[in-house]
Amino acid sequence: MIGGARQPREYGPPPVPPSHQGCAIRSVRVQLPAQRGELRDRHEDGHHLHHLLWRLDPSLRVCSSAVLGGGIGPRAWILNAQVPGGYPRLDPDRHLAEIAAAEGLTGPGAGLMTAADVAAYTTGHDGGVTATVTTGLGVRGWAAAPESATPAPHRPGTVNIVVTLPTALSDAALVNAVATATEAKVQALLDAGLDCSGTPTDAVCVAAPEPGPDGGEPFAGPRSAWGARIARAVHTAVLAGARTAR
């Protein structure tokens, strides 16, 4: 189910070279783990960084909270890019589009960003579902926190989750799958002994085939067949990442 390429036109890479703000990108393949995306290597402004890249089959669509290409729709690729700590840029969507352009990606895609070590990604597998997670927990807390007079800075030290599965989901089930993945993430963080529900900038992508005339699976909650697999795969990956990122 991973292979091909496509991204929403409004989110496509800009017609400018990848040199915005002196950001020179050189990308080479490091390894190609099956169903986990390609781990890629690049150099930006003196930093040695990594990103994970999924080239998606044209039959897939993605439900995502990604900063670039979020929402529900066909996507040609998913990019999870590492950036340096103390990230200075205020245009992460454009930055992700530049990395995509340097990779030669075209069409609509989804881009996530993190200050975590992307090369330390973790995975979980269950019944055809694969969850790939990068775990950054430097700025963590509870979702329902008291209101602060001084908004906390949105640092990119996030828990990013990418889930791929071989079964078509309805629109409602795709949204349900994102919720299920988030529930499993929180369960894993607690099981790792962490007093938090995540970070302020966590993001999720779920990729599944386009539904046919039958409309796809109607449910993806944690007690549905595919939702349970998503939950177990995400829990495994986040728990492994949280234990090493502490």
Side-chain angles (χ1 to χ4, degrees):
M1 63 177 281
I2 296 178
R6 277 164 57 203
Q7 188 206 51
R9 271 162 234 235
E10 63 267 35
Y11 301 115
V16 295
S19 57
H20 185 59
Q21 297 187 0
C23 174
I25 298 172
R26 180 175 63 81
S27 179
V28 295
R29 179 175 297 179
V30 177
Q31 69 185 97
L32 178 58
Q35 267 211 339
R36 294 175 235 161
E38 302 172 42
L39 179 63
R40 309 283 285 186
D41 174 276
R42 75 185 194 279
H43 292 269
E44 266 183 32
D45 296 335
H47 297 284
H48 181 200
L49 303 168
H50 294 92
H51 53 274
L52 284 164
L53 170 61
W54 289 256
R55 301 176 190 270
L56 302 180
D57 185 275
S59 67
L60 295 184
R61 64 177 184 158
V62 172
C63 180
S64 172
S65 62
V67 66
L68 173 69
I72 297 178
R75 301 290 184 267
W77 46 269
I78 299 171
L79 180 68
N80 184 11
Q82 179 184 357
V83 295
Y87 183 66
R89 291 182 60 164
L90 301 177
D91 57 348
D93 54 343
R94 183 178 179 87
H95 187 185
L96 286 161
E98 290 169 3
I99 297 171
E103 286 284 9
L105 301 174
T106 59
L112 305 90
M113 188 170 279
T114 180
D117 180 7
V118 167
Y121 69 89
T122 54
T123 60
H125 310 274
D126 195 289
V129 174
T130 296
T132 305
V133 174
T134 53
T135 308
L137 294 166
V139 185
R140 60 180 183 263
W142 290 101
E147 184 175 2
S148 172
T150 305
H154 293 291
R155 298 171 187 158
T158 63
V159 178
N160 284 341
I161 300 170
V162 176
V163 176
T164 60
L165 64 155
T167 297
L169 301 178
S170 68
D171 285 359
L174 266 176
V175 175
N176 206 177
V178 170
T180 295
T182 302
E183 290 182 38
K185 174 199 73 174
V186 176
Q187 181 183 346
L189 293 175
L190 294 177
D191 287 347
L194 297 171
D195 187 23
C196 67
S197 58
T199 83
T201 51
D202 291 353
V204 182
C205 284
V206 177
E210 291 269 10
D214 65 352
E217 292 288 327
F219 306 112
R223 294 288 71 84
S224 68
W226 285 100
R229 293 166 185 163
I230 291 169
R232 288 189 293 264
V234 170
H235 181 271
T236 296
V238 174
L239 183 60
R243 283 174 170 166
T244 58
R246 294 183 62 177

